[in-house]
Amino acid sequence: MNRAFSRKKDKTWMHTPEALSKHYIPYNAKFLGSTEVEQPKGTEVVRDAVRKLKFARHIKKSEGQKIPKVELQISIYGVKILEPKTKEVQHNCQLHRISFCADDKTDKRIFTFICKDSESNKHLCYVFDSEKCAEEITLTIGQAFNLAYRKFLESGGKDVETRKQIAGLQKRIQDLEAENVELKNKVQDLENQLRITQVSASPAGSVSPQSPSTDIFDMVPFSPTSHPPAVPTPNGTQPPPVPGRAAGIKRDLFGAEPFDPFSCAAGDFPPDIQSKLDEMQRQRWRGSKWD
């Protein structure tokens, strides 16, 4: 086991230095998961972790859950674990935090590495299943370590600090991206709720007309000050407005003016009727005088 760290330097590596230092080498594998271990290295340590995760995966498989597929991106800066379709980074294991890497000789599909978590400072063992590339992935991680160590010697240790700063920035970017996705989901939920509220609510500013109150006979009470609505004539024109009455005229209880034939002006009646009215007016004046 521990093939990555016991590789002899005089043997030829699988990839060019530029591929790992300027880019990365991608691999596809199934991710069994990660579990905490007590020691940062050791064959028995990773074997116990593999047995534990295999058992947990067997239970999940019996429940109908499939082993998730991931993409590994290996470079001199570390090993990234991504979701294959969305390329979302699930774990970013910096190379200087990886303390042990090995492929299992009893199961050619399994390879593992131990990495110290940057937040909890716990050592986690990551276990993967790759039917054809388990040994190749382990050797690629070993080559990344070899190139990183050479760069460390050439830069006098400055390159390590640079990588730490880059790793910190990458972690910050990852956190901001996750926060951005969460905020987008919240905004979408608020927009959906607002859309549902607008559909269910009545249009703004609409006021339902109120019918006038009626009496016990279900009729609208008469009001002497109210005027009936204007009814258009057959030709579509509005009738002329009714002239207002002079103030001070007494009205009866129905709001109508009492009829007084003597208050009418001359010429309002025919001559015969007008003469009779004049005679009645003279008799009325004589009677009031003798009284």
Side-chain angles (χ1 to χ4, degrees):
M1 225 160 175
N2 194 15
R3 294 286 300 276
F5 296 125
S6 62
R7 181 81 180 199
K8 294 182 180 180
K9 296 181 180 180
D10 56 350
K11 290 187 178 182
T12 305
W13 292 106
M14 301 180 61
H15 308 285
T16 61
E18 290 78 12
L20 286 167
S21 59
K22 297 182 179 180
H23 304 284
Y24 59 84
I25 305 298
Y27 289 100
N28 293 322
K30 295 180 179 180
F31 186 34
L32 273 68
S34 62
T35 182
E36 183 182 355
V37 292
E38 296 181 356
Q39 300 295 327
K41 59 183 179 179
T43 302
E44 291 300 325
V45 174
V46 296
R47 282 180 179 173
D48 291 340
V50 169
R51 283 194 293 265
K52 180 179 179 180
L53 291 174
K54 277 186 174 181
F55 179 75
R57 183 54 57 184
H58 179 73
I59 295 177
K60 292 182 179 179
K61 188 176 181 179
S62 63
E63 296 175 351
Q65 299 183 21
K66 295 182 179 180
I67 302 176
K69 296 180 180 180
V70 295
E71 178 182 328
L72 300 176
Q73 295 181 355
I74 303 173
S75 68
I76 63 172
Y77 300 105
V79 179
K80 289 184 179 181
I81 305 172
L82 299 87
E83 205 285 327
K85 294 182 179 180
T86 63
K87 302 301 180 181
E88 180 183 356
V89 178
Q90 299 178 351
H91 303 278
N92 186 12
C93 303
Q94 302 168 19
L95 198 68
H96 67 276
R97 291 183 175 275
I98 297 177
S99 56
F100 192 80
C101 180
D103 56 274
D104 194 347
K105 294 306 176 184
T106 60
D107 190 345
K108 299 291 185 178
R109 301 175 306 173
I110 301 298
F111 69 95
T112 66
F113 63 82
I114 298 176
C115 180
K116 188 176 182 180
D117 185 68
S118 59
E119 296 181 359
S120 63
N121 286 329
K122 296 180 180 179
H123 291 91
L124 302 177
C125 183
Y126 294 81
V127 181
F128 302 87
D129 184 337
S130 179
E131 186 176 355
K132 299 179 180 180
C133 302
E135 184 178 1
E136 180 179 342
I137 294 173
T138 306
L139 294 176
T140 302
I141 295 176
Q143 184 180 0
F145 268 101
N146 182 269
L147 291 173
Y149 182 69
R150 288 182 180 181
K151 292 195 69 174
F152 171 77
L153 295 178
E154 293 173 359
S155 63
K158 296 180 180 180
D159 188 63
V160 175
E161 295 299 327
T162 303
R163 288 206 307 271
K164 287 183 179 180
Q165 293 178 3
I166 294 175
L169 292 175
Q170 288 176 344
K171 180 65 169 57
R172 179 59 178 164
I173 292 173
Q174 182 179 349
D175 294 340
L176 290 175
E177 288 177 349
E179 184 179 353
N180 188 31
V181 172
E182 184 179 355
L183 290 175
K184 285 183 178 180
N185 294 333
K186 289 182 178 180
V187 171
Q188 185 64 37
D189 292 340
L190 291 175
E191 290 179 351
N192 294 336
Q193 294 177 7
L194 180 60
R195 191 178 297 108
I196 294 173
T197 304
Q198 290 177 346
V199 170
S200 60
S202 59
S206 62
V207 179
S208 58
Q210 297 181 354
S211 60
S213 59
T214 57
D215 56 13
I216 59 174
F217 301 103
D218 198 23
M219 298 183 65
V220 179
F222 172 77
S223 175
T225 58
S226 63
H227 300 282
V231 179
T233 59
N235 59 3
T237 61
Q238 295 289 338
V242 179
R245 300 181 182 272
I249 299 178
K250 298 182 179 179
R251 302 176 184 270
D252 57 15
L253 55 86
F254 297 103
E257 298 179 10
F259 174 74
D260 186 1
F262 302 104
S263 63
C264 299
D268 291 344
F269 302 98
D272 55 344
I273 297 176
Q274 185 66 44
S275 62
K276 291 180 181 181
L277 290 174
D278 293 340
E279 181 63 26
M280 292 173 63
Q281 180 69 18
R282 287 194 293 270
Q283 292 177 2
R284 181 181 176 185
W285 179 79
R286 291 173 185 171
S288 61
K289 181 178 181 182
W290 290 108
D291 290 340

